[in-house]
Structures are given as structure tokens and as C-alpha cells.
């Protein structure tokens, strides 16, 4: 049996027309000799009646500090509705299908509600269905606690994680992530109209793009696929474009039907919005005297990114919802600081950038040519990022996309 996992995101199951497109993809896989396991997200995006955000608002309007257990249980309903509707659609077209909750599909998690980690997957139920010729339609984003059968959710983007984890547990040939764009692109196509589809990209590069804000795939899903060396594809539900293959090696770009080999060393530009940058005045003796600012922030549960430390100054970024809490911690500890709200991070990612001279020069020149102030840079061997004001975001992403010949 050649098992594959096909995951369909919110927009792919939102309307009857979309669900028929999903049915066609499942049917095609069966025709090609595969045994698909289907994974679905909740139907539609913010504002749709059964979308995850709508469900969250429903409970928050009753009680702002609702228990996380109840919140997870309600959020799971979004995928339960979606899997039942999708299974019914497949059945209507003569495909033998069965809707399953995450728990029924054997996805067992710890009890960290809202961000549960998968502990193990018991595939016996899924294998039994597949061997009987029944297509399982599994609720993404959810699992069940091992000991006491409580519903849990895996965190935002969790359906991608469900698909990758099922792929690994079932030793699938590959995992397909179907969405509303034709693959992983050189930039978010909502910001850059000229963005190109990547024909192939490495697990490591996609992870960097995803960590830096490219929400087309969840980084946890890529990590799981990488751990089991399972190829992943990102494709559109609504076209026949072959999409992007994610594997251990990076590859070329797809321009129309032409595949161009990478002439340059960057693979894509990513952006992360809703950040605030903090700059804190330091005096070299303070850490030595035991005043460790980072301990205070960690104790307060604030996760900081883009950290940069020198003798005189510390700089870091937090997400906008953490700004007030961060200010409070800094004020309590008496550090002098400046907070720049309304920031974004732009990043150029590419494993071939490693050790190539002139990359930073190109990055800085592209932003300088548009008079975009760089508030701070951070880099690793495969990624260069800058914190800028959010109002310059589209211009910055477009300028970097051009400068790196993407
Ligand atoms: P789904 O609901 O199918 O999981 P998502 O909204 O999570 O879909 O992800 C798809 C979206 O990701 C696209 O609509 C696109 O705007 C956005 N996106 C951001 N960066 C990229 C990128 N580099 N390539 C493709 N899509 C991207
Ligand atoms: Mg998604």
C-alpha cells in the first residue's frame, strides 16, 4: 500500500466548490494508486461561522478568562465540523470515507492545552481503515491526552503539524499541503505581485522562512518531516501546478512552466509583523552586579527575539501583545529604555548565502536606496533580518526581492 497524506487548509474546505476541488485531488491520488489519508482544517478564515477565530470569540464573549480545557474542546469543533462535511462530500461522489477526530486517528498528546505536543500516534485504526479501502478524513490541529481523553489543540498552524506527524507515523510516501497559493513563493504573494513559485526548497530553508513569518507552512510540520526525511509538497487545491517540493536539498524556481536554476544565493524574503523593538541602556557593570535583565524577562514569561547585546545597549523585539508586560518588567527593574512600536522584521533566507561576501552590503543598499531606516539587523549563516517600521514593509520586501534577483 502506498500511503500519502493530503492536508487541506481552511480556504480549501470553505465552500462547496472548494470541497469539490478537494474531492478531485483525493480522487486523482486514488487513481494514481495511492491510499490517501485526508487531514482538514476548520472551514474558512476569520469571520466564517465555524472558523477557529470565531469559535475563540464565542467563548471569550462569555468569559474572557475561560478555562483552557474548554477553549481547546470548543476549538476542536471547527475541525470536527469540517471533517464531517468533507467526508459527506466524498461519500456523495462515491468515495468511501470516514471522519475521525484527532484522538480517533490515534494522535495522542501531552496536556498542554492550546499548544499540546504530540507524544505518540497509534496508527492501528487508520491502517485498518486504509486496508478496508476507506479514506480517513482526520481533524487537523487536534489530539487527545493519553491518559484521560481530553481534547487538545496543537497551536496555530497545527493542521500542518498533524499532517506531517501522520505522514511520519504511517511511513507515507509523501505529504501534500494543499492551500490557496500555488506553492512556496519567493515572497508572500499578497505583498509582492512578482513573487515566483519555488520548484524545490530544503527543509532548513523553509523552516527559516516559516520562523521568520512565511505562514504558508508551519515550521513544526517541516521539522517533523525533516526528522523522518519525508518529502512534502505545498500545492494549490485550485490548480494543477506541481507546487513546491520540500526535501533535504534546495532547488530552482518555477516561472510559468520554466524551471530556472538558482543563479543567486537567496531563496526567499519573509516578513513578520506586529513587533515592537526595545532598546535598553546598559552599564557594563550591571550584569556583573547580578542585575540580569534577561532573567527578569524570562521569569515574566516574555519571549524575546532579535536579541543584540553590546557593552552599552541591549536590543530585542517582542510581539505587540507583550509590549505592556515588557514595559512593566523594565520599569520594575529600573532599566532605562526606549520602545519602538509598530515594527516589522524583513528577512532574506538562503542556505547558499553561507560565507558569500557582499550579501549584507546588498541587503543594506537595497533598503537604503528606498530611504528605509534599519533599526537593527540580526543574522545567522542562512538568514539576514532587519527590524524596520511596519509602514515600510511592502516597499522593503519588494526592494529585497528585486535586489536578491528573486
Ligand atoms: P491554509 O489555511 O491553507 O493553511 P495559510 O493562510 O496558513 O493557508 O497559508 C497560505 C498563505 O500564506 C497564502 O495565502 C499567502 O498569503 C501566505 N504566504 C506567506 N508567505 C508565503 C510564501 N513565501 N509563499 C506562499 N505563501 C505565503
Ligand atoms: Mg496554514
Amino acid at each position: 500500500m502506498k500511503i500519502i497524506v493530503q492536508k487541506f487548509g481552511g480556504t480549501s474546505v470553505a465552500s462547496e466548490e472548494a470541497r469539490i476541488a478537494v474531492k478531485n485531488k483525493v480522487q486523482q491520488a486514488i487513481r494514481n494508486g495511492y491510499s490517501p489519508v485526508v487531514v482538514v482544517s476548520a472551514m474558512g478564515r476569520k469571520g466564517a461561522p465555524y472558523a477557529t477565530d470565531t469559535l475563540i470569540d464565542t467563548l471569550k464573549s462569555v468569559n474572557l478568562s475561560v478555562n483552557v480545557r474548554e477553549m481547546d474542546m470548543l476549538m476542536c469543533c471547527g475541525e470536527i465540523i469540517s471533517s464531517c462535511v468533507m467526508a459527506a462530500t466524498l461519500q456523495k461522489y462515491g468515495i468511501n470515507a470516514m471522519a475521525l477526530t484527532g484522538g480517533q486517528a490515534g494522535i495522542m498528546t501531552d496536556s498542554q492545552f492550546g499548544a499540546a505536543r504530540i507524544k505518540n500516534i497509534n496508527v492501528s485504526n487508520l491502517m485498518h481503515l486504509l486496508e478496508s479501502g476507506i479514506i480517513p478524513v482526520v481533524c487537523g490541529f487536534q489530539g487527545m491526552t493519553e491518559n484521560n481523553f481530553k481534547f487538545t489543540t496543537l497551536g496555530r498552524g497545527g493542521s500542518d503539524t498533524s499532517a506531517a506527524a501522520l505522514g511520519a507515523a504511517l511511513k507515507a510516501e509523501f505529504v501534500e499541503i494543499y492551500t490557496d497559493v500555488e506553492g512556496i513563493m519567493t515572497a508572500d504573494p499578497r505583498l509582492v505581485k512578482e513573487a515566483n513559485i519555488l520548484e524545490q526548497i530544503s527543509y532548513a530553508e523553509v523552516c527559516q522562512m516559516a520562523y521568520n513569518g512565511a505562514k504558508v507552512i508551519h515550521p513544526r510540520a517541516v521539522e517533523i518531516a525533516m526528522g523522518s526525511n519525508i518529502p512534502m509538497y505545498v500545492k494549490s487545491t485550485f490548480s494543477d501546478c506541481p507546487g513546491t517540493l520540500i526535501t533535504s536539498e534546495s532547488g530552482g524556481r518555477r516561472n510559468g512552466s520554466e524551471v530556472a536554476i538558482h543563479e543567486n544565493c537567496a531563496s526567499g524574503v519573509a516578513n513578520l509583523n506586529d513587533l515592537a523593538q526595545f532598546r535598553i541602556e546598559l552599564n557594563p557593570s550591571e550584569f556583573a552586579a547580578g542585575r540580569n535583565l534577561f532573567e527578569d524577562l524570562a521569569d515574566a514569561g516574555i519571549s524575546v527575539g532579535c536579541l543584540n547585546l553590546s557593552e552599552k545597549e541591549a536590543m530585542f523585539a517582542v510581539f505587540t501583545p507583550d509590549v505592556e508586560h515588557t514595559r512593566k518588567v523594565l520599569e520594575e527593574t529600573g532599566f532605562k529604555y526606549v520602545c519602538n512600536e509598530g515594527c516589522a522584521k524583513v528577512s532574506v533566507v538562503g542556505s547558499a548565502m553561507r560565507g558569500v561576501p557582499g550579501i549584507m552590503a546588498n541587503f543594506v543598499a537595497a533598503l537604503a536606496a528606498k530611504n528605509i531606516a534599519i533599526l537593527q539587523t540580526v543574522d545567522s549563516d542562512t538568514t539576514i533580518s532587519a527590524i524596520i517600521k511596519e509602514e515600510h514593509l511592502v516597499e522593503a520586501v519588494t526592494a529585497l526581492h528585486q535586489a536578491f534577483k528573486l
Side-chain angles (χ1 to χ4, degrees), residues 67-356:
N67 194 303
V68 282
R69 176 189 174 276
E70 273 68 43
M71 185 54 99
D72 265 17
M73 196 162 158
L74 184 72
M75 278 200 277
C76 287
C77 297
E79 276 70 18
I80 294 178
I81 294 170
S82 181
S83 67
C84 292
V85 171
M86 199 58 239
T89 306
L90 293 174
Q91 290 158 6
K92 181 171 160 184
Y93 288 92
I95 300 170
N96 205 350
M98 187 187 284
L100 300 171
T101 64
Q104 288 167 347
I107 302 178
M108 297 299 159
T109 72
D110 62 16
S111 54
Q112 210 189 323
F113 294 105
R117 299 282 285 198
I118 297 175
K119 290 184 75 180
N120 79 70
I121 299 185
N122 178 351
V123 294
S124 56
N125 199 10
L126 287 178
M127 287 307 292
H128 177 72
L129 292 175
L130 290 171
E131 278 155 10
S132 320
I134 298 170
I135 310 292
V137 183
V138 181
C139 298
F141 178 59
Q142 59 174 252
M144 186 159 273
T145 59
E146 248 173 335
N147 321 325
N148 45 15
F149 310 116
K150 288 179 183 151
F151 281 100
T152 51
T153 66
L154 308 176
R156 275 306 164 98
S159 294
D160 294 342
T161 308
S162 309
L166 284 173
L170 291 161
K171 299 192 172 41
E173 309 276 310
F174 51 84
V175 172
E176 293 178 322
I177 305 289
Y178 282 98
T179 184
D180 61 350
V181 285
E182 302 220 305
I184 297 181
M185 308 188 72
T186 49
D188 187 342
R190 284 184 218 198
L191 302 192
V192 182
K193 297 249 168 336
E194 307 77 43
N196 290 299
I197 305 161
L198 291 158
E199 183 229 359
Q200 191 176 321
I201 185 167
S202 68
Y203 295 118
E205 285 172 304
V206 174
C207 273
Q208 282 302 320
M209 286 193 59
Y211 290 135
N212 285 296
K215 72 173 268 222
V216 61
I217 190 160
H218 196 273
R220 182 81 197 108
V222 184
E223 286 166 5
I224 293 172
M226 176 157 62
S228 304
N229 209 19
I230 293 187
M232 282 186 119
Y233 291 89
V234 175
K235 297 183 181 187
S236 166
T237 306
F238 310 101
S239 85
D240 289 323
C241 176
T244 305
L245 168 63
I246 310 171
T247 171
S248 50
E249 284 160 35
S250 53
R253 243 174 304 160
R254 201 184 293 284
N255 288 314
S257 60
E258 294 264 312
V259 175
I261 299 299
H262 261 195
E263 295 161 2
N264 46 27
C265 41
S267 292
V269 184
N271 61 284
L272 198 57
N273 304 17
D274 266 334
L275 295 174
Q277 184 208 36
F278 280 87
R279 306 177 75 127
I280 294 120
E281 229 178 80
L282 288 183
N283 159 345
S285 60
E286 277 175 316
F287 284 124
R291 290 194 65 207
N292 189 338
L293 158 71
F294 299 108
E295 257 171 29
D296 296 334
L297 290 166
D299 289 346
I302 299 168
S303 118
V304 302
C306 303
L307 189 63
N308 195 304
L309 189 60
S310 73
E311 267 191 350
K312 294 198 171 133
E313 194 180 41
M315 292 190 274
F316 59 81
V318 301
F319 283 107
T320 304
D322 289 332
V323 166
E324 282 319 307
H325 197 181
T326 309
R327 281 183 189 274
K328 207 167 149 237
V329 172
L330 292 174
E331 270 149 34
E332 274 165 12
T333 47
F335 283 98
K336 270 198 191 156
Y337 71 92
V338 175
C339 172
N340 270 317
E341 292 195 55
C343 292
K345 178 161 92 159
V346 278
S347 306
V348 175
V349 174
S351 50
M353 298 198 305
R354 199 175 276 135
V356 178

